[in-house]
Amino acid sequence: MSDIIQLLPDHVANQIAAGEVVQRPASVVKELLENAIDAQASYIKLIIKEAGKTLIQVIDDGVGMSVTDARLSFERHATSKIKSAEDLFHLNTKGFRGEALASIAAIAHVELKTKQEKDEVGTEIKIEGSKVVSQEVCATPKGTSISVKNLFYNIPARRNFLKSNAVELRHIIDEFHRVAMAHPAIRFDMYHNGSEIFNLPISNHRQRIVNIFGGKTNEKLVPIDEETDLVTISGFVGKPEYAKRSRGEQFFFVNNRFIKSSYLNHAVNAAFEGLLKDKSNPSYFIYLEVDPMSIDINIHPTKTEIKFEDEHALYAMLRSTIKHSLGQFNVAPVLDFNRDASMDTPYEYKGKEAQAPMIEVDRSFNPFTEEKIESSGSSSSSSSKQYTSFKKEPVGDWENLYVGLESEVSKINTKDNDFSSIEFESAEVTGKLFEEEQKDLGHHTTYQLKRKYIVTTIKSGMVIIHQHRAHQRILYEELLRNITMASAASQQLLFPLKISFSKQEITLLQTVKEQLENAGFVFGDFSLGEIEITATPSAIQEKEVAIVLEQLLSDLENEVPDSGFSQTDALAKSIARSLAIRTGVELAQEQQQYMANSLFACTEPTITPDNKPTFITLTVDEIDKKF
């Protein structure tokens, strides 16, 4: 039997490694940005075309590479970050595997230009599918410029699995945020299809966060700061009143490296316990500095998960630090429940003595003394002091109020004014919204079970309706019909509603702006910092607008469909999910009946827009079998 195990060629091994390193264009952006940071760059420019499918270019002013280093950087397991196994446990750099550039070059066209400050000319290398096409000298400024073109050109199956440009751009922006927020001392610029997306000057952490997420973010931040032997915690948490349903603005950085940790996220939520509304998530930007020897970074291919040496102590410190900051900045409620801030002494009156009030009393006043009511002519001159008479009319004289009334009525009730023949017009009720029998408690046709299900009868047995899912189906078809026909009714707001969003969130809303307008929204100013809403759909209350738009953004961030019906469908699904009656809401008898009738009037009453059942039926035979 011949041997069947053989070594893979380098280009095949690189393509396999690329599946681990390069999942989408955002993975390439992450690796190239981290390499630029490790090169001690002070200015990094990111240029993207077609969401990274056509071009990803990173330009930096770092130390650059020599001719030998430039060629060797594309070999597998070639790196300047580590030299021995012990270096893995005290890393202060970003990528360290040595497979990133080799993997990227295996599945794309790569062009590298680099020059060190001491050299007069630089080096230009072109690689296509792991094959070096050319290497020559070139004129280039100090630093490195690397262009990745036609990603996955030789693996069409992987290219077909990429999402739409909007989704891929969203992932690229997320990676850009994570790198830029960790390094405020570096200037970052980002361009997409020739237009500037971000221009982030050198700043501190707070200014960098505000520059990324908009000026309104500054008033939402509460600083946290704690230094111990185990960890140094710094950064910011969002105030509870600005908590969102989505988990977009949640960032952990350990030694300036972005990580994901559900354990630490639980510590933050525990610190906010009792301060957040149901299903709301706080925003936070937390920077942790720990000893590199106490963490293990090499447990995940993308290096976004870290193993800590003492997680329990870190959990307790993080929770107590956030709680202390919330209390220190008067975000947490005060324990003195009887204290009223309006009763506090104003600042300008502190230290002054209180003056005794001057009180004048008329000692001759007696409320039990009856005063004679004089004529109006002499009342003003009779006395310089007038007091209201407290004389109380005797109850027995109430008949005097009606003296002369009969004579007045007799004068009015003449032949010309005979009210006896007047006919009163009654408003005839032409239709009734609900049947009379439904008001009779003995003729209920529906029943609400556990504030979750609506039970009603049919000829063959009974129907149990899930009220939340049923209402979701009803709203979905109504919204879909209104958006498609642009016939939705709007209610004008007394004052325009202004809601703050980040740049990328507003860009995302602009893709569905036309569908939102067809649904009943009327927009005013649509700037990069906030949007102005002057009218809303009649089914949405003013206080629900922000919740609906946040839920819509959360749904669209994961998958933005192409223009057309699929985009309208996604919009209707998201709004219906936000407005549908929740489990636990008690419904009146008329509302239950309306829900049942409206559900069975839908074109597809059996399932929700997410293909979940809305009701089940129990026939009489099935009920009989239970007995």
Side-chain angles (χ1 to χ4, degrees), residues 92-112:
N92 292 310
T93 54
K94 304 298 179 183
F96 55 84
R97 180 178 20 226
E99 294 185 24
L101 290 181
S103 301
I104 294 169
I107 54 174
H109 297 164
V110 180
E111 180 180 327
L112 172 70

Side-chain angles (χ1 to χ4, degrees), residues 258-274:
F258 172 80
I259 67 158
K260 296 177 181 177
S261 175
S262 57
Y263 188 68
L264 296 181
N265 180 71
H266 189 275
V268 177
N269 290 331
F272 277 90
E273 186 178 3

Side-chain angles (χ1 to χ4, degrees), residues 65 100 240 250 316 388 419 436 441 521-522 542 595 614 616 618:
M65 291 183 284
Q250 295 184 341
T388 304
F419 292 106
E436 282 292 333
L441 295 177
F521 285 95
V522 178
E542 183 177 351
M595 186 85 72
T614 57
I616 60 171
L618 288 176

Side-chain angles (χ1 to χ4, degrees), residues 575-610:
I575 297 179
R577 194 181 302 113
S578 300
L579 297 180
I581 292 175
R582 300 288 175 183
T583 298
V585 176
E586 186 175 355
L587 300 178
Q589 186 66 33
E590 292 83 359
Q591 293 174 317
Q592 300 171 26
Q593 190 67 46
Y594 172 81
M595 186 85 72
N597 295 339
S598 299
L599 176 64
F600 294 110
C602 293
T603 56
E604 188 60 55
T606 57
I607 57 174
T608 66
D610 299 326

Side-chain angles (χ1 to χ4, degrees), residues 226-277:
E226 188 68 36
E227 185 174 352
T228 65
D229 295 336
L230 179 66
V231 61
T232 300
I233 303 174
S234 60
F236 307 90
V237 294
K239 294 181 180 178
E241 59 265 29
Y242 296 106
K244 296 183 178 180
R245 289 180 175 266
S246 61
R247 296 187 177 184
E249 300 175 2
Q250 295 184 341
F251 297 90
F252 278 116
F253 300 94
V254 176
N255 296 349
N256 291 332
R257 182 193 296 269
F258 172 80
I259 67 158
K260 296 177 181 177
S261 175
S262 57
Y263 188 68
L264 296 181
N265 180 71
H266 189 275
V268 177
N269 290 331
F272 277 90
E273 186 178 3
L275 300 177
L276 297 177
K277 297 179 181 178

Side-chain angles (χ1 to χ4, degrees), residues 426-440:
S426 62
E428 183 180 355
V429 180
T430 57
K432 296 179 180 178
L433 185 61
F434 303 102
E435 297 295 333
E436 282 292 333
E437 63 179 10
Q438 293 182 11
K439 296 182 180 179
D440 186 4

Side-chain angles (χ1 to χ4, degrees), residues 375-411:
S375 61
S376 59
S378 60
S379 60
S380 58
S381 59
S382 62
S383 175
S384 60
K385 295 183 180 180
Q386 297 184 16
Y387 302 99
T388 304
S389 175
F390 283 83
K391 181 181 179 181
K392 191 174 182 180
E393 294 293 334
V395 180
D397 295 341
W398 62 269
E399 297 93 344
N400 296 334
L401 298 173
Y402 299 95
V403 174
L405 186 62
E406 293 180 359
S407 60
E408 293 293 333
V409 172
S410 61
K411 292 179 183 178

